[in-house]
Amino acid sequence: RQILMGFRGWLWTHGINYREREADIFEIFSGGEEARTLIADYGVDYAVIYKNKIKDFHINPDFFAENYPLLYESDNFSVYKLD
């Protein structure tokens, strides 16, 4: 399975501008104005929201809960289908 961003060093070694990618991910997770456009542009199918990362990534859980179906939830994370 592919991921949009993992360890920043991996992106850099493949010539991907991790700062731009990271900014896009923050925009997606925040549910900002460009979130839906970025999700479509990157072809993201699922979002995994780790509860211990909500503050680190400025995640707006309500954005996902109100706009996308919840596929799975545990004490640690939630998975949403982004279609």
Side-chain angles (χ1 to χ4, degrees), residues 1 14 19 26 38 41 46 53 57 59:
R1 102 196 128 179
H14 291 282
R19 291 175 197 232
F26 283 168
L38 289 167
D41 288 349
Y46 302 93
K53 297 293 182 185
F57 285 89
I59 299 170

Side-chain angles (χ1 to χ4, degrees), residues 10-68:
W10 294 335
L11 294 172
W12 178 80
T13 61
H14 291 282
I16 297 171
N17 181 341
Y18 70 88
R19 291 175 197 232
E20 181 180 320
R21 179 76 57 100
E22 183 178 60
D24 289 348
I25 288 171
F26 283 168
E27 180 71 13
I28 290 169
F29 278 145
S30 73
E33 292 180 21
E34 298 295 318
R36 291 175 189 265
T37 300
L38 289 167
I39 289 168
D41 288 349
Y42 281 111
V44 179
D45 295 318
Y46 302 93
V48 179
I49 309 298
Y50 287 93
K51 294 178 180 166
N52 66 343
K53 297 293 182 185
I54 288 174
K55 289 183 183 178
D56 294 342
F57 285 89
H58 311 283
I59 299 170
N60 177 358
D62 293 337
F63 169 73
F64 293 93
E66 293 169 4
N67 294 286
Y68 301 103

